Amino acid sequence: MAETNDQLVIEARNYISRIVDFPEKEIAGVLVDRVDIWKFANKVRVLLIAREFMEQQPFPIRKMSPEVFIPLLDESALVADERIAKMYASLIICFSNPESYNMVHPSYPKVLGQLSKLDVQLLESMYAGIQHGGFDFKEKGFTLETVCKIFKFDKHQAALSFQNLWRVGICHKGHGLDALNENMIVFTSYGWQFIAACKVIK
């Protein structure tokens, strides 16, 4: 088992050297310096998810700066959920791709780090529904009533998710009475671009 883990570390370290403009001697420290085993395993998993995708769908790699990469990797270390790990891996891919790097903001990893699993569930469902239905993301959203009915959320639980999504700027409160009653989430332009970047890996 130790040999397998060592090999995964080597693979992750080699991958970092391909996508980040670090001096070679600093690469190992990115993974192991002051990081407990749980965080370390999460970092390695996210890196290898991104690497697998890039090997299956290769593109010329644009190396990202450490100022972007380190906060992204640090945020990913706190996540055990597979779905959210894929979102961090998606951001690595976007920052590494010459065709998409200028469409992702350095704040995205920090924003993702402030979302709960329930927040992510709402965003993914709303994103998928809008795409499938061909709706305008600026107009179509979820009401509090709909969320409680479909996802079986407690009303207070759903309201907290709504408040957090408004707080981080991913969603606004809709229009008209819904906005006044704080009863709806609708993607902002920032939020739509954010979730699109996080969903490169399905």
Side-chain angles (χ1 to χ4, degrees), residues 64 71 86 88 98 100 118 123 133 138 152-153 165 178 188 191:
M64 69 183 90
K86 288 181 179 179
Y88 280 108
S100 63
L118 297 181
L123 291 175
K138 296 177 183 177
K152 310 301 182 189
F153 285 3
L165 295 173
D178 284 322
T188 61

Side-chain angles (χ1 to χ4, degrees), residues 9-30:
V9 171
I10 291 169
E11 290 179 20
R13 189 172 60 198
N14 290 341
Y15 176 64
I16 290 174
S17 69
R18 289 177 53 205
I19 64 171
V20 185
D21 193 17
F22 273 124
E24 189 68 29
K25 64 182 180 180
E26 296 181 9
I27 291 172
V30 173

Side-chain angles (χ1 to χ4, degrees), residues 22 34 89 176-177 180:
F22 273 124
R34 300 184 185 93
L177 291 177
L180 292 174

Side-chain angles (χ1 to χ4, degrees), residues 68 91 95 100-110 190 194 197:
V68 171
L91 292 179
F95 280 116
S100 63
Y101 81 94
N102 60 349
M103 293 184 280
V104 283
H105 194 271
S107 65
Y108 286 0
K110 288 289 186 185
Y190 174 89
F194 164 81

Side-chain angles (χ1 to χ4, degrees), residues 19 51 64 67-68 84 89 150 172 176 185 187 195:
I19 64 171
R51 189 194 69 171
M64 69 183 90
E67 288 86 353
V68 171
I84 300 177
I150 294 177
H172 64 79
I185 49 171
F187 279 115
I195 194 66

Side-chain angles (χ1 to χ4, degrees), residues 122-133:
L122 291 180
L123 291 175
E124 287 187 326
S125 297
M126 194 160 71
Y127 180 72
I130 290 170
Q131 281 198 315
H132 180 74

